[in-house]
């Protein structure tokens, strides 16, 4: 929900995000659930697995039970993968002033707030200066893609059918940009190829850079 492409390789992140909690967990619950990475071979963090994120694979549904019912019937493999993530979750039991620092490719989700209560937070992201494909959470391109453009995924379809130069206007990394490598090429292709996006300009530019 922050990027138009896919997170960069684990050892070369482009951004760091923060949740500053302004409420108390004991009063309103709603602790952020996270899945910690267990080494380089962790199956939950293999390259490209983030394309299984809601809004990229399947609808984004802001309710766990409804979401899992949907995945179980329409995409059993994704459903099975998601169940493995739930078993590994740990929760932020925050107080006022708690700061959660996390990577954008960390598996995380919100949990239910106590009925009648309100949880106040600040969502903050810092990115590299040249990582223009990463947007803010509130009102950003990526978030609006799966809140407003479903089920047709109109924004992704539009991006896929633009010329590479036109995509850069939205912050999409240009051919030859340091962002592109074997992993990111495959991951972005998994997200956009279904809409007819031609990855050859990015692939050829990367090969040219390596040859030189």
């Amino acid at each position: 929900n922050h990027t138009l492409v896919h997170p960069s390789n684990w050892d070369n992140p482009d951004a760091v995000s923060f949740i500053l909690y302004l409420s108390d967990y004991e009063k309103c619950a709603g602790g952020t659930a996270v899945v910690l990475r267990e080494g380089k071979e962790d199956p939950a963090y293999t390259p490209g697995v983030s394309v299984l994120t809601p809004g990229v694979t399947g609808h984004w549904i802001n309710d766990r039970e409804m979401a899992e019912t949907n995945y179980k019937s329409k995409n059993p493999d994704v459903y099975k993968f998601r169940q493995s993530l739930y078993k590994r979750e740990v929760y932020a039991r925050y107080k006022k002033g708690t700061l959660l620092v996390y990577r954008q490719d960390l598996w995380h989700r919100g949990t239910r707030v106590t009925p009648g209560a309100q949880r106040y937070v600040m969502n903050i992201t810092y990115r590299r200066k040249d990582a223009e494909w990463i947007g803010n959470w509130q009102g950003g391109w990526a978030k609006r893609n799966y809140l407003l453009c479903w089920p047709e995924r109109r924004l992704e379809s539009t991006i896929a059918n633009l010329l590479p130069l036109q995509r850069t206007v939205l912050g999409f990394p240009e051919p030859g940009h340091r962002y592109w490598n074997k992993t990111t090429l495959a991951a972005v292709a998994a997200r956009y190829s279904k809409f007819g996006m031609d990855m050859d300009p990015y692939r050829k530019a990367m090969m040219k850079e390596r040859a030189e």
Side-chain angles (χ1 to χ4, degrees):
N1 50 40
H2 282 277
T3 179
L4 295 176
V5 283
H6 184 277
S8 295
N9 290 11
W10 185 267
D11 295 329
N12 191 32
D14 291 315
V16 61
S17 291
F18 307 84
I19 299 177
L20 176 61
Y21 297 93
L22 305 177
S23 301
D24 193 300
Y25 177 84
E26 298 300 327
K27 294 182 178 180
C28 59
T32 306
V34 302
V35 177
L36 303 179
R37 182 175 182 255
E38 299 177 348
K40 294 182 178 180
E41 304 303 320
D42 188 337
Y45 287 95
T46 54
V49 74
S50 294
V51 297
L52 298 179
T53 303
V56 177
T57 297
H59 286 67
W60 182 71
I61 301 174
N62 194 23
D63 179 273
R64 174 176 171 173
E65 287 74 22
M66 291 176 63
E68 298 317 310
T69 298
N70 181 70
Y71 276 111
K72 188 174 183 179
S73 63
K74 296 182 178 180
N75 200 326
D77 290 338
V78 174
Y79 171 80
K80 183 178 180 180
F81 174 74
R82 288 166 64 88
Q83 301 316 298
S84 71
L85 296 180
Y86 286 129
K87 293 177 181 178
R88 294 174 50 182
E89 287 182 335
V90 295
Y91 303 90
R93 298 181 180 275
Y94 55 88
K95 297 180 179 180
K96 288 183 180 180
T98 296
L99 184 68
L100 175 63
V101 183
Y102 65 100
R103 306 165 56 100
Q104 293 185 348
D105 48 358
L106 178 78
W107 287 109
H108 63 283
R109 69 180 182 93
T111 62
R112 289 179 176 174
V113 174
T114 301
Q118 291 182 312
R119 187 194 73 163
Y120 295 96
V121 302
M122 291 181 65
N123 295 100
I124 306 164
T125 292
Y126 288 95
R127 63 168 175 82
R128 288 185 175 185
K129 183 178 180 180
D130 67 340
E132 296 182 356
W133 54 90
I134 295 175
N136 56 303
W137 164 242
Q138 295 295 345
W141 287 106
K143 180 184 178 182
R144 287 181 178 274
N145 175 55
Y146 64 72
L147 288 182
L148 302 179
C149 298
W150 279 87
E152 297 88 359
R153 297 173 69 173
R154 296 188 298 275
L155 178 60
E156 286 170 302
S157 177
T158 298
I159 289 174
N161 288 280
L162 294 175
L163 297 174
L165 179 60
Q166 292 174 315
R167 294 184 191 117
T168 63
V169 176
L170 300 177
F172 207 90
E174 63 185 349
H177 192 283
R178 63 159 186 84
Y179 168 81
W180 297 108
N181 55 57
K182 183 178 180 180
T183 299
T184 55
L185 275 170
V188 173
R191 180 174 184 177
Y192 286 100
S193 291
K194 67 185 70 178
F195 302 107
M197 183 167 169
D198 180 10
M199 298 300 298
D200 277 350
Y202 304 96
R203 186 176 296 106
K204 290 178 179 178
M206 185 186 72
M207 294 175 64
K208 182 179 178 181
E209 289 285 333
R210 290 182 177 180
E212 295 176 350

